[in-house]
Amino acid sequence: MTPTMHHPHPIEDLPASRAQKLLRALTSYYAIALAVAVVCAWGFGWLADEVLDHEFTVANTSILLTIHAHRTATLDQIAFLASGIGSATGITIIGIALVLALLIMNRYVDLGTLAAVLLGATVLMLTFKLLFHQVRPHVFEPLVRETNFSFPSGHSLTSFSLWGFLAWWIVSMNHRQVWRWILGILGLGIAVLVALSRLYLGVHWPTDVVAGMLLGFSWVGVCVTGQHWLTRHARRERRRLRAQRMKSANAV
């Protein structure tokens, strides 16, 4: 009986060095960022469909009532502060500080990515609010007054976009340094606090802030992946031009 021939998969047939390079690419921060973008975009789409079908009305109401039952004067102040950090004014102030820091460090590509993250998050927020026309909750008397639409939470979307980008940027510079991971996690903790404050103040449904988080992470993943692609393309183009110059010099 003739033994069955094993035809190696194209990946199995790669030289060891190329296989290792492929493995590093698949496990890089940029591959992970793209995976996060895809998963979060799918999660947002699913959640938006459920919200339109009013599938979370009971759960949303129950969560808001539970949070409101634990209201205290101290938590009021914390919620006002956190909400202020995630407001348009707060995001603008933090964004300007980051822009100045990146300019001082000559990190112009990262600066462009940050601008894309913040501008894109703003466009996404305004677009989806108008698209879904979700009415804000009135389960209890809100502690602040909001007049625009509810879904997704703008505070949540912009905060997770900003702090998500900052967490990636800090860690990606040197992932072996533990303090960078700690700073990244703390930054994301601020975004979580902003999202929770909107529930505490009674101006958003829980699905609003989850949608904002998913959309924010998805957009950051797209921007980071785009930055990586443009950077690799620029490097290849630079190598090509350098090779052409060397070829021309040798010809002379």
Side-chain angles (χ1 to χ4, degrees), residues 2-3 32 45-46 54 57 87 96 124 144-145 165 175 185 191 203 210 217 224 226-227 230 236 241 244-245 251:
T2 305
I32 294 172
W46 173 83
H54 305 287
T57 302
S87 67
I96 290 174
L124 288 172
V144 295
R145 183 173 177 79
F165 166 80
H175 67 275
I185 292 171
V203 292
V210 173
F217 278 152
V224 167
Q227 181 204 41
L230 290 173
R236 284 198 298 266
L241 292 175
Q244 285 182 347
R245 287 195 296 269

Side-chain angles (χ1 to χ4, degrees), residues 74-92:
T74 301
L75 289 178
D76 284 359
Q77 296 302 315
I78 295 174
F80 287 132
L81 176 61
S83 184
I85 292 173
S87 67
T89 301
I91 293 294
T92 300

